[in-house]
């Protein structure tokens, strides 16, 4: 169940990544400042709404992949606002007592998560910034739902591209070290490959107005986020090519996955 505590203050003067993503998914939990920033992104990436749906499809495929390989506890970092096909819904459809902890830095996620999960004893939500991995790990452990001595499925869907390369090891290192062998990491990341530099610059400028700037990268740099993990088949690929036959829900009508690389890595040793 969600952690108790006072409702956090929500800043509506600056766009929020979580609320922008909600807008891409045609949600209603966003404000004018979020819609304006999202519209600036859409001018450079007109297919952003369909891409957001494809990204959610990758999340669902990732969760099912991990559950089928014995993962029974999940840490969803940068989970965003609740929408259709959340991690706990997908996992618990297969294993009803699968445990899920959602982590996000945006207070609006905490507010909505508390309401959504009030009666779910195997799922909770906490507020923490992924740039402070010790806080993320502490929140996850104190919920009583995550046992780091057993394999964990970590989800960082559309989150690694909010880290600078200098921040990468400071964040990924502690997370990797805390995980037991057999744990899995699923992540997606925007790429520069195959895209106009001016469009990339316009999107980065829109996110620069948020508390979490975005960084587009090539495949080689994206692979660095999986250091210490062995990529499972089909490896790091554009998300439209990662086992697409495994999800027929909310699939876009056209191929829009070339903006994002995605993959799952398995930790094989301590």
């Amino acid at each position: 169940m969600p952690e108790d505590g006072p409702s956090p203050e929500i800043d509506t003067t600056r766009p929020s990544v979580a609320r922008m993503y909600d807008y891409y998914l045609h949600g209603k939990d966003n404000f004018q400042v979020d819609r304006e920033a999202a519209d600036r992104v859409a001018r450079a990436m007109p297919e952003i709404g369909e891409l957001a749906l494809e990204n959610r499809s990758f999340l669902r495929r990732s969760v099912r992949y991990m559950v089928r390989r014995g993962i029974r506890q999940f840490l969803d970092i940068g989970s965003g606002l609740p929408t259709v096909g959340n991690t706990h819904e997908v996992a618990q459809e297969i294993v009803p007592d699968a445990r899920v902890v959602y982590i996000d830095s945006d207070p609006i996620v905490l507010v909505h998560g508390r309401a959504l999960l009030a009666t779910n004893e195997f799922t909770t939500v906490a507020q923490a910034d992924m740039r402070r991995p010790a806080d993320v790990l502490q929140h996850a452990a104190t919920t009583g739902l995550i046992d780091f001595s057993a394999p964990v499925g970590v989800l960082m869907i559309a989150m690694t591209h909010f880290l600078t390369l200098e921040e990468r090891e400071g964040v990924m290192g502690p997370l990797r070290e805390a995980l037991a062998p057999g744990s899995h990491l699923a992540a997606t990341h925007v790429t520069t490959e195959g895209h106009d530099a001016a469009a990339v610059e316009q999107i980065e400028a829109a996110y620069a107005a948020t508390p979490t700037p975005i960084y587009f990268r090539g495949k080689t740099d994206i692979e660095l986020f999986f250091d210490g993990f062995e990529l499972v088949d089909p490896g790091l690929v554009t998300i439209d090519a990662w086992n697409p036959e495994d999800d027929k829900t909310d699939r876009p009508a056209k191929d829009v996955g070339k903006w994002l690389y995605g993959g799952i890595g398995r930790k094989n040793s301590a």
Side-chain angles (χ1 to χ4, degrees), residues 83-252:
T83 186
V84 176
N86 295 293
T87 297
H88 73 282
E89 293 170 325
V90 178
Q92 291 170 6
E93 183 178 344
I94 303 172
V95 179
D97 61 350
R99 303 182 303 281
V100 179
V101 174
Y102 293 106
I103 299 284
D104 204 287
S105 61
D106 194 315
I108 198 171
V109 175
L110 186 62
V111 171
H112 285 268
R114 284 174 173 171
L116 174 70
L117 304 172
T119 60
N120 191 313
E121 63 180 308
F122 299 114
T123 309
T124 192
V125 59
Q127 185 180 359
D129 191 325
M130 68 174 174
R131 292 177 179 79
R132 294 191 286 275
D135 290 348
V136 171
L137 295 168
Q138 180 183 20
H139 276 295
T142 56
T143 64
L145 294 177
I146 300 293
D147 174 9
F148 283 106
S149 68
V152 179
V154 177
L155 299 158
M156 298 184 72
I157 305 301
M159 289 308 298
T160 51
H161 50 228
F162 294 113
L163 297 171
T164 67
L165 286 179
E166 291 72 24
E167 292 170 327
R168 176 188 61 84
E169 186 57 25
V171 170
M172 303 305 296
L175 290 175
R176 182 176 61 242
E177 292 168 12
L179 298 175
S183 295
H184 289 63
L185 167 68
T188 62
H189 193 301
V190 288
T191 183
T192 55
E193 295 181 5
H195 301 295
D196 179 70
V200 169
E201 183 178 353
Q202 184 175 334
I203 298 166
E204 289 181 334
Y207 277 96
T210 76
T212 45
I214 197 170
Y215 305 96
F216 283 67
R217 299 186 174 101
K219 184 178 182 180
T220 299
D221 282 341
I222 296 171
E223 286 175 336
L224 294 175
F225 289 89
F226 289 93
D227 280 355
F229 296 87
E230 180 182 352
L231 285 164
V232 304
D233 288 339
L236 184 66
V237 294
T238 54
I239 60 173
D240 58 302
W242 202 93
N243 297 335
E245 67 284 351
D246 190 47
D247 191 359
K248 308 302 182 191
T249 306
D250 294 334
R251 294 301 305 278

